[in-house]
Amino acid sequence: MENSGLVVHGQSAPFSTALRSLVNNPWHSDICFVVGQERQEVFAHRCLLACRCNFFQRLLGPGVPSPVVLSTVPAEAFLAVLEFLYTNSVKLHRHSVLEVLTAAVEYGLEELGELCLEFVVKVLDVELVCEALQVAVSFGLGALQERCITFIEAHSQEVLRTRGFLELSATALLPVLRSDKLCVDETELIQAARSWARVGAAVLDQPVAEVAAPVVRELRLALLAPAELSALEEQNRREPFIPVEQIVEAWKCHALQRGDAARSAPCRRRRGTLPRDHHRFLDFRFK
């Protein structure tokens, strides 16, 4: 009869503590990384990284000299990645979790990525949500993008005033502007989009209208009252932001006063749209 064995386990806490003590410890280290813009030295052990992560297995192949420069990942995030690889646990912080998530995605660490996503959802707030949305869009994290959009819909006015909103890419801003559930009036949304475009124009050294071009079509000018639309048109003459033909289309909606215009996005009210007299011609809910 074949002998059968039994796997028994010792205490996990001392084992985890011992491995954690090796994180960024030069003792018996055989590889050094130079990490982040601050070029911080971080010590590690090739065999452990290689057996835990395919990215490092490829990176630290035979003959790779030390140090290895990883300039795009901040030191704090990289140390969190090492902590996870050494101990299979990690202490996450609100201010750096998105950088850890980015590193997890880039290094193919799915379990660490899931832990980061769970943490982000728990700590998501007005100041963090746009940065989280940008990460979600950049890496195709659909579930996180959906959570961020839902949060922005519920806290629209506060989010539009944040620095994170002004720093969104056009690709990340598009799903925000396409939402029917934003709790903000179109006048405020237009002003926020203009501020966003001004910041981008300054950073990219491009005209405001050129920066705004990928997103400005999502603004629903037909929701503005005639006086508001006239004021916007005048401002647009002084500082081009919205294509002239888009303003003309909004005036046509006013002139036609047809309820079937509600089928098109430029005439649909958002959740936070303030009522105006002409909306009864544009929106079926006024019928």
Side-chain angles (χ1 to χ4, degrees), residues 171-238:
T171 306
L173 181 56
L174 272 174
V176 176
L177 296 184
R178 286 172 176 162
S179 172
D180 293 339
K181 299 179 181 179
L182 295 177
C183 292
V184 64
D185 188 62
E186 208 67 19
T187 54
E188 293 183 61
L189 193 59
I190 291 169
Q191 184 55 47
R194 186 186 292 274
S195 298
W196 171 86
R198 284 171 176 163
V199 170
V203 171
L204 300 173
D205 193 23
Q206 295 177 354
V208 169
E210 186 175 330
V211 173
V215 304
V216 75
R217 280 283 175 185
E218 303 303 326
L219 298 174
R220 305 177 184 182
L221 307 188
L223 295 177
L224 304 182
E228 295 170 322
L229 191 54
S230 294
L232 176 65
E233 193 171 22
E234 178 59 33
Q235 185 180 13
N236 206 59
R237 291 193 188 99
R238 297 193 304 269

Side-chain angles (χ1 to χ4, degrees), residues 35-203:
V35 180
Q37 297 299 313
E38 60 270 45
R39 297 184 62 81
Q40 179 176 327
E41 284 191 339
V42 176
F43 298 95
H45 306 81
R46 291 176 187 258
C47 63
L48 199 151
L49 298 187
C51 75
R52 287 278 284 147
C53 177
N54 290 335
F55 172 86
F56 287 110
Q57 187 179 69
R58 294 189 298 269
L59 180 67
L60 304 176
V64 174
S66 184
V68 174
V69 178
L70 297 175
S71 59
T72 60
V73 56
E76 183 177 354
F78 188 71
L79 287 169
V81 169
L82 291 191
E83 181 184 359
F84 175 78
L85 292 178
Y86 278 67
T87 69
N88 210 41
S89 63
V90 62
K91 185 174 183 179
L92 296 172
H93 302 275
R94 179 192 170 282
H95 69 273
S96 60
V97 63
L98 293 173
E99 294 170 340
V100 180
L101 174 59
T102 298
V105 172
E106 292 178 343
Y107 299 161
L109 297 170
E110 293 184 9
E111 186 178 5
L112 176 58
E114 289 298 323
L115 293 173
C116 290
L117 287 171
E118 291 174 9
F119 184 83
V120 170
V121 170
K122 290 179 181 178
V123 301
L124 202 61
D125 60 18
V126 166
E127 295 297 329
L128 187 65
V129 67
C130 286
E131 188 179 352
L133 175 61
Q134 185 63 61
V135 171
V137 170
S138 298
F139 293 104
L141 304 174
L144 179 59
Q145 178 176 330
E146 186 176 336
R147 292 297 293 265
C148 290
I149 294 297
T150 299
F151 185 95
I152 292 171
E153 289 170 343
H155 305 86
S156 305
Q157 290 182 317
E158 299 94 327
V159 171
L160 295 184
R161 300 188 189 107
T162 65
R163 176 179 174 181
F165 176 82
L166 297 177
E167 295 177 347
L168 284 173
S169 68
T171 306
L173 181 56
L174 272 174
V176 176
L177 296 184
R178 286 172 176 162
S179 172
D180 293 339
K181 299 179 181 179
L182 295 177
C183 292
V184 64
D185 188 62
E186 208 67 19
T187 54
E188 293 183 61
L189 193 59
I190 291 169
Q191 184 55 47
R194 186 186 292 274
S195 298
W196 171 86
R198 284 171 176 163
V199 170
V203 171

Side-chain angles (χ1 to χ4, degrees), residues 216-219 221 242-251:
V216 75
R217 280 283 175 185
E218 303 303 326
L219 298 174
L221 307 188
I242 298 171
V244 173
E245 57 270 23
Q246 186 176 347
I247 297 177
V248 171
E249 289 171 6
W251 280 120

